[in-house]
Amino acid sequence: LMILGLTLLLVAVKAAVIFPLVRLFRYANGEAALVALALAQGGEFAFVLFAVTQSAGVLPPEITRPMIVVVALSSPAMAGSAR
C-alpha cells in the first residue's frame, strides 16, 4: 500500500509542477494536462541515481529498493511490459 501511495504521489507532484509550466507557454488546459500526465512518470535516470547512491553508501538498500519499485510502477513502459 505504501508503494502504491508513493507512486501516485510521484506522478501527482510531477504533474502539478509540469502543468503550470506548460500553461506558461499558452497551451490550453487540456493540452497542458495531457503533457503533464505524459511526462509525470519517473525516469530511467532514477535507476542510475539509486544504484550510485546505494553503492556509495549515501542511501541504504531499505530506501533505494522501494524507490526503484515506485519509479518502475510509474513508468508506462515498465507497466506495459509487466502484462
Side-chain angles (χ1 to χ4, degrees):
L1 192 58
M2 179 186 74
I3 297 292
L4 179 61
L6 288 172
T7 304
L8 293 174
L9 181 66
L10 171 69
V11 172
V13 168
K14 286 188 72 177
V17 169
I18 294 168
F19 179 82
L21 293 175
V22 176
R23 287 289 295 142
L24 285 175
F25 289 95
R26 303 189 192 283
Y27 283 92
N29 284 338
E31 292 171 327
L34 184 63
V35 170
L37 289 175
L39 296 177
Q41 79 261 0
E44 292 83 9
F45 188 60
F47 298 124
V48 175
L49 288 177
F50 290 136
V52 170
T53 57
Q54 182 177 335
S55 66
V58 176
L59 292 174
E62 296 79 25
I63 293 182
T64 57
R65 285 185 192 136
M67 297 313 292
I68 289 170
V69 174
V70 167
V71 171
L73 288 175
S74 75
S75 172
M78 296 297 281
S81 67
R83 291 185 211 165

